[in-house]
Amino acid sequence: MNGLRVIPTWQGGRERLYVCHPDGRNLAWYDREAARVNLLGQDHEDDVLQALGPFLTGPVSVGPPPVPTPAELARLSLHPDDDLAPNRPGEALLVALDRDPGPARRLRPDPRRRALTAELTVGEALDRTDGAGWHTLHSIPLPGGDRIHHLLIGPGGLYAVHTLYAHKQRVTVTDPHVALGRREPTPLLRRVRACADRASYALTAEVRPVLVLVGASQVSLRVPPREVRVVTDADVVGLTRQGGVLKPADVEALHAMARDRNTWARV
């Protein structure tokens, strides 16, 4: 067969190369990370492998697509309005600023935009870890108006990540208080722990709290925080270097549960 097209796509941080018939039908896809060619039918195996020849980087397995796991089936049955996975970093702030951008001229910068910068910085860094067995959900709404900025799920466990804009400021942590420069300290760590506790309750799994200080010039831990891990945005990817806690099937099951908006309705 002549005229097969190879079309690259990205899904969940993983590259797939789809092989398409001239009439547009998908015949197969190549998952580079899994080193597998998934055939939707056995009739065109030789033609598919010939079309993929320039893209294959080593030995590959060839066969029908794998049977969906329970987590994948749950994701497929989830209503789009209830799926939190498409949320962008800072989704809630982006929506709020779109609805009410505020006055064109301000004496001081809009604090929402600074908070958005922090969430975008951290969220984009976490999103880059998706291909390594980790998943990140952003801006998870909680009853009462609070939210989890980022929920990181992977082999090293679950982390409820809260971001704080601290550009070129010295940050002093005296558990449970956090102070930026000369500003009055606020009991931020109580909120960070509370969000992680609510996530643990919703997912029936341990969720560890993390505070990420974005752009801080210096961090001083006068009273080391209980349970909360405090890092800067430069170190946030280090969270994904932890391993040995969750099996891949557990990661997928927890991700499927966490992306469902209804999971968070009663926490």
Side-chain angles (χ1 to χ4, degrees):
M1 179 187 300
N2 297 320
L4 296 187
R5 294 182 300 152
V6 178
I7 301 176
T9 65
W10 286 86
Q11 294 187 2
R14 299 177 66 166
E15 183 184 21
R16 283 184 175 181
L17 298 176
Y18 280 88
V19 181
C20 299
H21 191 276
D23 64 8
R25 289 181 293 123
N26 288 329
L27 299 178
W29 74 84
Y30 170 42
D31 187 332
R32 195 186 299 273
E33 183 175 324
R36 179 178 176 83
V37 177
N38 297 281
L39 296 170
L40 298 178
Q42 299 297 324
D43 298 340
H44 307 296
E45 179 176 344
D46 292 339
D47 296 318
V48 166
L49 292 178
Q50 182 178 356
L52 285 172
F55 305 96
L56 301 179
T57 56
V60 297
S61 58
V62 181
V67 177
T69 64
E72 290 169 334
L73 291 174
R75 174 180 58 81
L76 292 172
S77 63
L78 189 61
H79 191 282
D81 290 343
D82 293 328
D83 190 358
L84 299 175
N87 278 10
R88 301 161 292 178
E91 181 75 28
L93 290 171
L94 287 166
V95 172
L97 286 166
D98 183 58
R99 291 175 177 172
D100 177 19
R105 297 182 179 180
R106 301 178 62 102
L107 295 177
R108 296 181 179 179
D110 190 330
R112 296 177 299 172
R113 296 194 180 277
R114 291 183 171 183
L116 177 60
T117 298
E119 291 191 42
L120 289 174
T121 300
V122 174
E124 289 169 0
L126 294 176
D127 280 344
R128 288 193 289 270
T129 69
D130 269 5
W134 291 82
H135 298 291
T136 307
L137 297 171
H138 306 289
S139 207
I140 296 175
L142 300 175
D146 209 344
R147 61 191 174 88
I148 298 172
H149 292 179
H150 315 281
L151 181 67
L152 180 64
I153 306 171
L158 295 91
Y159 298 92
V161 180
H162 189 96
T163 65
L164 180 64
Y165 182 88
H167 183 61
K168 294 184 178 180
Q169 297 187 74
R170 177 176 178 175
V171 182
T172 304
V173 179
T174 308
D175 193 8
H177 294 87
V178 177
L180 295 180
R182 298 181 179 179
R183 298 181 191 175
E184 286 293 319
T186 60
L188 180 60
L189 296 186
R190 290 178 185 166
R191 179 184 174 190
V192 176
R193 278 192 284 260
C195 286
D197 288 343
R198 295 172 77 176
S200 296
Y201 179 82
L203 301 174
T204 61
E206 181 185 11
V207 179
R208 285 170 278 186
V210 178
L211 174 62
V212 182
L213 305 169
V214 177
S217 61
Q218 184 178 349
V219 180
S220 175
L221 303 179
R222 291 187 178 177
V223 177
R226 175 178 53 85
E227 300 173 351
V228 181
R229 185 169 178 175
V230 178
V231 300
T232 65
D233 54 300
D235 301 322
V236 69
V237 178
L239 297 173
T240 63
R241 299 193 181 103
Q242 309 298 317
V245 177
L246 296 176
K247 298 178 181 178
D250 296 329
V251 172
E252 296 304 320
L254 285 165
H255 179 239
M257 184 186 304
R259 67 189 294 173
D260 186 349
R261 185 183 302 274
N262 298 301
T263 298
W264 308 95
R266 297 182 180 87
V267 298

